[in-house]
C-alpha cells in the first residue's frame, strides 16, 4: 500500500484509463462550451464521440501561444463567466500578456498538484515553508501558498526581494524549506554567509524553478544555505502555473502528473512524435481543466521522456529537466540539436568555462559545425589539443553529430546582458 497522501499509485493500465476518460471529457467540454475550440475541432472534422482511444489524441489540432493572443483578454474560455473565480497572467515575450481563467475546481486541482510537489520533496506538516516568489497576477506565489496550506505545512509568504525581512523570518521563524528561483536562492545563500547567520538557519530543502540553472549554481546555494537537498519544479501559467511536476529525491528526472495532463514529445519541425527518449518539444493536453482547457498546447519547451521505473518508488512517469526552447533548434545533417545539449556536454569538463559558440557553415553542399569553447581561467593552454579532442568525442557520443572543437582564451567569446547569441549560421549565405 502506498503511504502517500497526494501522490497516486497507478499501474500503467489505470493511468491510461484515466487519461482516456479525461481526454474524452476535455474534447466534449471544449466542443460544447468554447467557440474557439468548436471552430478548430470542426475544421479538423472531430466530433465528441470520436475519441475512442489515446491514439485519437493525434487527430486533434494543436493550440499555440498565438491562440492565446487572439483570444485576449480571456483566451480559450470554456465556462460561463459566473464560474470564473480568478485570473492569473504571465508576461508575453511579445506584446500582450497571457491571461488564463480558473474555476474553483481548477484552483482545487492546482493546489492538489502542488501538494504532490511538497510530498515528492519529502516535506511533512511540521515544515515551515518560506515562499520568496512573486505574488499577485503571477501564478508562482499563489500556487506555492495554496499547495503548502493544502499539504498542511506552515506557509511563510514573503514574496521576492526584501532581503532584510527574508533573513529575519528565516532565522526567527526557523524556515525549513525555501521556495525561490535559483538566482534568489543563491543570493540568499550569499547574504546568509555575509551576515554570519549560517548557525541560526534551519533550512533543509529548497524547491526552485522558473529559470535555467547550472549544476554549479545549484551546488553553490545548497552549500551556502546548508541544505540537505534541492528540487527543480516545473509548470507554466497556461497549465495552472508552477507545480506541474517535481524532481524526486532520486534526482533522476522530473515526475509529472500524467493523470492530470498528457505529455507528447514531438519534433518541432514535423510535429510527429520523436523516437522514445529523444529530445523534442513538450506538447500538453489537460484532462480536467475547466475554464481554459488545453488541447495539444505547444509549450516550446524542450525535454525528453525518461523510460523505466524510478528508484524513488513514485509510479508517475518522468521527463528530463527543461533543456531549452524549440525556437533555438538547429538541424545539422538531419539531426536536431539544441544549444542546451552542447552546454550539457561541456558541463563535466573542469577546464572549460560555461561560454561557447556554435558556427555552422556549408561547403560543397555539406554542412560543417565548429564549436568554440573558452578555456577556463587558470587551465593550461598546452593542453588545448587534448581538451578539444575529448570535448569533440563526448559531443559525438551524446549528440550523434561530429563537430570541430576550438578552444579559445577566457573572455574571448562575446558576452551579453540579455540572451547571448550562441549560434552563427552561415549555411544559406550564398
Ligand atoms: Zn523518482
Amino acid at each position: 500500500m502506498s503511504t502517500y497522501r497526494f501522490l497516486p499509485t497507478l499501474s500503467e493500465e489505470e493511468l491510461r484509463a484515466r487519461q482516456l476518460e479525461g481526454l474524452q471529457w476535455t474534447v466534449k467540454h471544449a466542443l460544447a462550451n468554447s467557440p474557439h475550440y468548436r471552430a478548430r475541432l470542426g475544421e479538423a472534422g472531430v466530433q465528441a464521440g470520436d475519441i475512442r482511444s489515446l491514439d485519437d489524441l493525434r487527430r486533434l489540432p494543436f493550440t499555440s501561444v498565438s491562440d492565446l493572443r487572439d483570444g485576449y483578454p480571456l483566451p480559450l474560455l470554456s465556462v460561463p463567466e459566473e464560474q470564473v473565480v480568478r485570473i492569473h497572467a504571465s508576461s508575453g515575450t511579445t506584446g500582450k500578456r497571457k491571461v488564463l481563467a480558473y474555476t474553483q475546481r481548477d484552483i482545487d486541482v492546482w493546489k492538489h498538484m502542488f501538494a504532490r510537489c511538497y510530498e515528492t520533496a519529502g516535506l511533512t506538516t511540521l515544515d515551515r515553508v518560506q515562499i520568496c516568489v512573486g505574488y499577485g497576477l503571477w501564478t508562482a506565489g499563489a500556487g506555492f501558498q495554496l499547495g503548502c496550506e493544502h499539504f498542511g505545512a506552515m506557509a511563510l509568504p514573503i514574496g521576492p526581494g526584501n532581503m532584510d525581512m527574508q533573513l529575519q523570518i528565516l532565522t526567527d521563524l526557523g524556515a525549513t524549506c525555501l521556495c525561490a528561483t535559483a538566482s534568489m536562492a543563491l543570493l540568499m545563500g550569499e547574504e546568509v554567509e555575509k551576515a554570519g547567520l549560517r548557525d541560526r538557519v534551519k533550512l533543509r530543502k529548497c524547491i526552485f524553478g522558473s529559470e535555467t540553472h547550472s549544476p554549479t549554481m545549484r551546488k553553490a546555494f545548497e552549500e551556502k544555505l546548508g541544505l540537505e537537498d534541492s528540487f527543480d519544479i516545473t509548470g507554466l501559467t497556461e497549465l495552472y502555473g508552477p507545480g506541474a511536476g517535481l524532481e524526486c529525491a532520486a534526482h533522476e528526472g522530473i515526475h509529472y502528473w500524467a493523470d492530470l495532463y498528457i505529455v507528447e514529445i514531438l519534433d518541432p519541425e514535423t510535429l510527429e512524435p520523436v523516437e522514445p527518449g529523444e529530445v523534442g518539444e513538450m506538447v500538453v493536453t489537460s484532462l480536467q481543466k475547466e475554464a481554459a482547457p488545453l488541447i495539444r498546447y505547444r509549450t516550446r519547451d524542450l525535454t525528453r521522456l525518461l523510460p523505466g521505473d524510478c528508484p524513488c518508488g513514485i509510479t508517475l512517469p518522468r521527463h528530463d529537466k527543461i533543456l531549452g526552447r524549440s525556437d533555438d533548434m538547429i538541424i545539422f545533417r538531419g539531426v536536431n540539436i539544441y544549444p542546451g545539449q552542447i552546454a550539457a556536454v561541456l558541463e563535466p569538463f573542469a577546464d572549460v568555462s560555461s561560454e561557447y559558440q556554435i558556427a555552422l557553415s556549408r561547403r560543397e553542399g555539406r554542412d560543417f559545425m565548429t564549436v568554440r569553447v573558452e578555456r577556463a581561467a587558470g587551465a593550461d593552454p598546452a593542453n588545448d589539443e587534448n581538451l578539444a579532442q575529448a570535448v569533440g568525442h563526448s559531443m559525438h557520443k551524446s549528440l550523434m553529430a561530429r563537430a570541430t572543437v576550438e578552444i579559445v582564451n577566457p573572455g574571448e567569446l562575446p558576452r551579453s546582458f540579455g540572451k547571448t547569441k550562441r549560434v552563427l549560421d552561415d549555411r544559406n549565405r550564398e
Side-chain angles (χ1 to χ4, degrees):
M1 273 305 284
S2 159
T3 52
Y4 297 120
R5 287 165 60 213
F6 299 99
L7 288 159
T9 304
L10 295 170
S11 70
E12 211 171 312
E13 208 169 58
E14 289 167 327
L15 177 61
R16 289 177 68 84
R18 274 199 207 183
Q19 287 184 329
L20 179 59
E21 193 187 334
L23 182 61
Q24 287 169 330
W25 176 83
T26 297
V27 171
K28 212 171 123 193
H29 170 61
L31 272 170
N33 302 306
S34 155
H36 172 84
Y37 280 124
R38 198 178 303 134
R40 283 302 173 83
L41 291 163
E43 282 162 27
V46 177
Q47 293 180 351
D50 285 353
I51 307 299
R52 292 185 195 90
S53 79
L54 286 174
D55 293 338
D56 292 325
L57 178 63
R58 296 194 50 198
R59 298 181 52 189
L60 304 178
F62 291 98
T63 306
S64 71
V65 69
S66 65
D67 295 312
L68 299 185
R69 228 173 275 140
D70 294 346
Y72 185 86
L74 290 172
L76 314 180
L77 191 65
S78 306
V79 295
E81 198 188 310
E82 69 256 30
Q83 290 180 26
V84 175
V85 300
R86 193 193 291 180
I87 62 123
H88 278 292
S90 72
S91 52
T93 39
T94 47
K96 289 171 185 163
R97 295 180 192 290
K98 295 181 228 169
V99 183
L100 276 301
Y102 299 69
T103 64
Q104 184 56 52
R105 182 167 154 70
D106 292 336
I107 298 284
D108 291 344
V109 169
W110 186 23
K111 75 183 181 198
H112 185 75
M113 287 167 61
F114 230 120
R116 287 181 183 179
C117 294
Y118 290 115
E119 186 160 59
T120 301
L123 265 61
T124 74
T125 51
L126 287 172
D127 271 291
R128 298 180 175 194
V129 183
Q130 187 152 335
I131 301 168
C132 321
V133 294
Y135 274 80
L137 204 48
W138 319 120
T139 47
F144 274 100
Q145 182 160 348
L146 267 172
C148 179
E149 291 167 356
H150 186 54
F151 178 76
M154 184 196 292
L156 313 174
I158 310 189
N162 206 343
M163 195 51 79
D164 287 343
M165 196 201 286
Q166 300 284 5
L167 295 180
Q168 191 184 4
I169 299 292
L170 191 62
T171 48
D172 291 359
L173 276 143
T176 56
C177 177
L178 186 72
C179 300
T181 61
S183 308
M184 176 74 186
L186 182 62
L187 187 63
M188 203 176 298
E190 286 166 351
E191 291 296 320
V192 163
E193 207 167 53
K194 225 186 282 171
L197 293 172
R198 182 62 192 279
D199 291 347
R200 294 177 53 200
V201 170
K202 296 197 172 70
L203 282 177
R204 294 182 302 120
K205 289 171 180 175
C206 173
I207 297 175
F208 65 95
S210 93
E211 57 177 352
T212 50
H213 62 279
S214 68
T216 320
M217 184 179 189
R218 180 174 184 165
K219 202 160 161 267
F221 73 69
E222 282 182 346
E223 278 175 10
K224 288 179 199 301
L225 291 169
L227 302 179
E228 286 168 15
D229 214 343
S230 68
F231 306 88
D232 189 5
I233 193 167
T234 58
L236 57 160
T237 304
E238 297 91 311
L239 188 64
Y240 303 96
L246 197 86
E247 186 179 347
C248 65
H251 300 291
E252 296 201 13
I254 289 164
H255 289 278
Y256 69 93
W257 319 138
D259 56 330
L260 298 171
Y261 64 99
I262 295 175
V263 168
E264 292 174 272
I265 304 292
L266 306 181
D267 184 312
E269 288 285 304
T270 64
L271 296 174
E272 292 295 319
V274 298
E275 295 297 316
E278 270 186 27
V279 175
E281 180 176 331
M282 182 158 87
V283 172
V284 296
T285 299
S286 64
L287 299 174
Q288 295 193 13
K289 216 162 170 274
E290 291 183 335
L294 297 181
I295 294 179
R296 303 194 87 192
Y297 180 70
R298 295 190 58 185
T299 66
R300 303 275 167 188
D301 284 333
L302 297 169
T303 188
R304 60 195 177 110
L305 293 176
L306 301 174
D309 296 334
C310 183
C312 81
I314 294 173
T315 57
L316 288 163
R318 292 170 296 153
H319 62 71
D320 206 342
K321 67 179 180 185
I322 304 302
L323 301 165
R325 304 277 297 162
S326 64
D327 311 304
D328 301 331
M329 184 180 82
I330 304 161
I331 304 175
F332 176 73
R333 295 185 188 173
V335 180
N336 296 350
I337 297 174
Y338 310 100
Q341 290 176 292
I342 307 259
V345 167
L346 297 178
E347 185 67 36
F349 290 93
D351 283 353
V352 303
S353 86
S354 61
E355 294 310 301
Y356 62 93
Q357 189 180 63
I358 303 159
L360 297 163
S361 59
R362 184 168 289 159
R363 294 193 297 275
E364 293 163 5
R366 194 159 164 75
D367 289 356
F368 292 89
M369 174 162 55
T370 302
V371 179
R372 298 189 185 99
V373 186
E374 276 183 14
R375 188 188 319 112
D380 185 0
N383 192 36
D384 279 0
E385 205 171 308
N386 287 338
L387 184 59
Q389 233 171 42
V391 171
H393 183 73
S394 172
M395 220 165 268
H396 183 228
K397 216 172 105 189
S398 64
L399 306 182
M400 302 303 288
R402 281 190 195 283
T404 305
V405 178
E406 281 176 23
I407 308 293
V408 303
N409 292 323
E412 197 173 316
L413 293 176
R415 299 293 198 268
S416 149
F417 289 115
K419 205 169 170 306
T420 305
K421 189 171 162 51
R422 302 208 183 266
V423 182
L424 306 176
D425 194 344
D426 281 337
R427 288 179 297 180
N428 294 314
R429 209 166 44 170
E430 65 265 27

